[in-house]
Amino acid sequence: MKFEQSQLGTLAVVGGGVIGLAVAARAQRDGWSVQLYDPNIGSGASWVAGGMLAPLSEGWPGEHELLHLGAHSLARWPEFARELGVDVFTASGSLTVALDAADAQDLRTIAEFVGAHGHQLDILNRAEIRELEPSLAQNIRLGLLAPTELAVDNRALVDALTASAAGVDFVAERVTDLDALTADRIVVAAGAQVPALLPDIPVRPVKGEILRLRRRPSATAPPSRTIRGSVHGRPIYLVPRGDGLVVGATQYESGHDTQVTVAGVRDLIADAERLMPSIGEYELHEAAAGLRPMSPDGLPLVGRISERVIVAAGHGRNGILLTPITTDAVAALLTGDTLPEAKAADPARFETGRHR
């Protein structure tokens, strides 16, 4: 296929997850002639995601740059969703709960850290938690409410982004050599596959498993907010969907393995029941696994690595959260500018080599 002529030039986007789709759609609107290369649009981590937009309740001392980046992207999300013209939100507000004294202290630490950076989180006692979310376990000690956090339906988001990229030329091919692409500019947004194209980019795959549960007619109503917690040191979340819940997420360093394991499903169900005892009434509709593209420091890598190549990778479990700010940052880079709010994501912090 050939590019059509455009004012700005030609652009190849490698990777068709939420980041690649959003970048391609934005570049096409900005005046680039865009081809997007991916044999399976919207698959991988974008398809197997909880859709939490929770940078505040995941804050931790020392991770101020990630908090700053995530908070900026969260603030962009309402406008970003309006531009899509589709309501992809499934929950407003998130509640992180503590089952023991150590976890309760962690919640107080998070509230203090995030509060020091200008964001309000509310500490809730047991009675207040029961009033907000009566389906949760009665032995929960403490809660941390983030009223401005959101959740989106990741699969509805993939569909909306694909529709918004109607002017993009989709090429159902896997790119194995960037030198074979003839575009003026290239954006590499291939998730866990990025190191195969850019060996100097420090991104590794981390396996995550999720369950999709459907509410049966006799079952207790799901929480109205995203619920997060920790059981035996394992993080667990319950994210509302129109027909039930998404439960996640295990985390394994297992290369490119995407098989769902019995142990993973067992742990997710057992941990979810500790937070919401009635969850056993739900239908187990789907079990799936995907690969999160993780960086060494938890921050993504979004920046120019040569005159021709821009990378947008390493978002880990925050790919959906960081889609708006990543799209803005890449759009700025394509014009020769930078986005100050995304400075911490500059891949130069790892002294990456120069490419093409």
Side-chain angles (χ1 to χ4, degrees):
M1 299 180 183
K2 294 183 178 180
F3 289 97
E4 297 177 357
Q5 293 297 315
S6 76
Q7 182 179 358
L8 295 179
T10 57
L11 173 70
V13 177
V14 182
V18 291
I19 300 292
L21 286 167
V23 165
R26 171 68 175 274
Q28 193 271 332
R29 291 197 303 273
D30 287 348
W32 292 85
S33 288
V34 184
Q35 284 188 315
L36 187 151
Y37 292 82
D38 197 313
N40 298 294
I41 299 296
S43 62
S46 295
W47 195 250
V48 185
M52 296 183 299
L53 313 181
L56 309 182
S57 55
E58 292 190 352
W60 192 254
E63 297 180 353
H64 58 281
E65 290 180 327
L66 183 58
L67 173 65
H68 177 77
L69 189 69
H72 273 286
S73 201
L74 175 63
R76 272 279 287 123
W77 251 103
E79 180 185 355
F80 183 78
R82 283 194 296 271
E83 291 169 354
L84 291 176
V86 178
D87 184 6
V88 296
F89 295 113
T90 66
S92 179
S94 68
L95 178 63
T96 307
V97 298
L99 295 171
D100 58 34
D103 288 341
Q105 183 55 49
D106 283 348
L107 296 190
R108 295 187 181 95
T109 298
I110 293 168
E112 182 179 354
F113 167 69
V114 173
H117 287 269
H119 306 286
Q120 181 63 41
L121 297 178
D122 301 320
I123 295 288
L124 305 183
N125 61 32
R126 188 171 301 185
E128 291 168 328
I129 293 168
R130 291 289 294 170
E131 183 178 355
L132 278 183
E133 298 291 356
S135 65
L136 297 186
Q138 296 185 23
N139 64 335
I140 289 173
R141 288 174 176 248
L142 202 73
L144 185 66
L145 179 66
T148 63
E149 292 186 333
L150 301 164
V152 300
D153 184 327
N154 57 307
R155 297 181 181 180
L157 175 62
V158 167
D159 290 342
L161 287 170
T162 303
S164 74
V168 172
D169 181 10
F170 289 89
V171 183
E173 298 175 5
R174 185 176 301 281
V175 174
T176 58
D177 181 6
L178 297 183
D179 288 332
L181 300 176
T182 60
D184 299 325
R185 297 287 185 271
I186 300 170
V187 176
V188 181
Q193 306 300 323
V194 164
L197 296 168
L198 299 171
D200 291 335
I201 297 299
V203 173
R204 72 187 193 281
V206 175
K207 179 182 176 181
E209 295 168 317
I210 62 101
L211 308 178
R212 296 176 72 92
L213 309 181
R214 285 183 175 174
R215 182 191 178 193
R216 299 196 302 162
S218 60
T220 303
S224 60
R225 299 164 181 81
T226 296
I227 307 299
R228 303 174 62 252
S230 177
V231 178
H232 302 305
R234 295 187 297 262
I236 181 76
Y237 60 72
L238 316 177
V239 187
R241 288 291 189 270
D243 59 352
L245 290 164
V246 172
V247 178
T250 57
Q251 192 160 292
Y252 303 109
E253 300 275 356
S254 56
H256 289 269
D257 171 33
T258 56
Q259 295 297 313
V260 177
T261 65
V262 171
V265 173
R266 176 201 63 206
D267 290 346
L268 286 173
I269 293 174
D271 294 350
E273 282 188 310
R274 290 290 304 276
L275 302 188
M276 181 181 168
S278 62
I279 207 167
E281 303 169 10
Y282 281 60
E283 172 195 347
L284 177 55
H285 176 66
E286 179 184 341
L291 299 175
R292 301 186 189 96
M294 303 293 290
S295 73
D297 61 3
L299 286 161
L301 297 98
V302 183
R304 186 179 299 281
I305 59 172
S306 76
E307 182 62 28
R308 187 173 177 233
V309 179
I310 294 168
V311 66
H315 293 78
R317 65 182 185 276
N318 293 311
I320 291 179
L321 165 65
L322 297 177
T323 294
I325 197 167
T326 299
T327 304
D328 292 346
V330 172
L333 289 164
L334 287 171
T335 64
D337 203 353
T338 59
L339 185 71
E341 293 82 1
K343 181 180 179 181
D346 188 345
R349 70 188 188 275
F350 293 117
E351 298 182 346
T352 53
R354 293 298 173 181
H355 300 268
R356 300 168 181 85

